[in-house]
Amino acid sequence: MTNHPQDAEAAAANEESSPRRGSPFAEQQPVVFAKTRGNTDANTRGGDSSPPLDVGVLPATALGAVAASIAVIPFAAACYWLFPGGGMLVAPLGALLAAMGTVSPRTKTSIVMLLLHLGLFAACFQQTVMAAGI
């Protein structure tokens, strides 16, 4: 080890700083965290203590729910023609998935899917009632 003053200053700076986070190959220190709505105090949010909906896995889950409600449409439509009683089970599943998707960035798509699934449920219900002769 050399006795240069610059080496001593660099060693002291390394000991005082916090441990490095992120890639060891990055050339500069990354920004650790940006301020999110969840980090603001309750006074700026009007005293509401509920967590924000745009952090964590909820946005990805909501987008998956919208995609799943789109994928269920053909099955609910097939149930209308082939087995209306089954459509009364499949259509509410799609409606539930679309309702979960209303917190995603695809709000309009999820609302359209929700209305479509509710319409298919009503149609399947009508077919079932007519078939039963009630």
Side-chain angles (χ1 to χ4, degrees):
M1 182 169 207
T2 61
N3 292 328
H4 292 110
Q6 292 173 347
D7 292 341
E9 290 174 8
N14 285 338
E15 289 176 11
E16 294 174 0
S17 66
S18 63
R20 181 180 176 122
R21 296 181 184 196
S23 172
F25 303 108
E27 293 183 15
Q28 56 177 294
Q29 289 282 1
V31 176
V32 177
F33 293 108
K35 190 170 186 177
T36 63
R37 284 195 294 154
N39 292 340
T40 60
D41 60 353
N43 294 334
T44 59
R45 291 189 290 156
D48 184 20
S49 63
S50 63
L53 296 175
D54 59 349
V55 294
V57 298
L58 186 61
T61 304
L63 280 173
V66 172
S69 70
I70 293 170
V72 170
I73 288 285
F75 296 102
C79 284
Y80 172 75
W81 296 108
L82 301 174
F83 183 57
M88 289 176 51
L89 297 174
V90 175
L93 170 67
L96 177 68
L97 289 167
M100 285 176 54
T102 57
V103 295
S104 73
R106 308 245 183 228
T107 306
K108 291 179 184 176
T109 305
S110 65
I111 290 173
V112 168
M113 290 297 115
L114 178 62
L115 294 174
L116 190 58
H117 279 289
L118 290 176
L120 280 168
F121 174 75
C124 288
F125 181 77
Q126 181 184 12
Q127 286 279 64
T128 305
V129 168
M130 302 244 325
I134 298 174

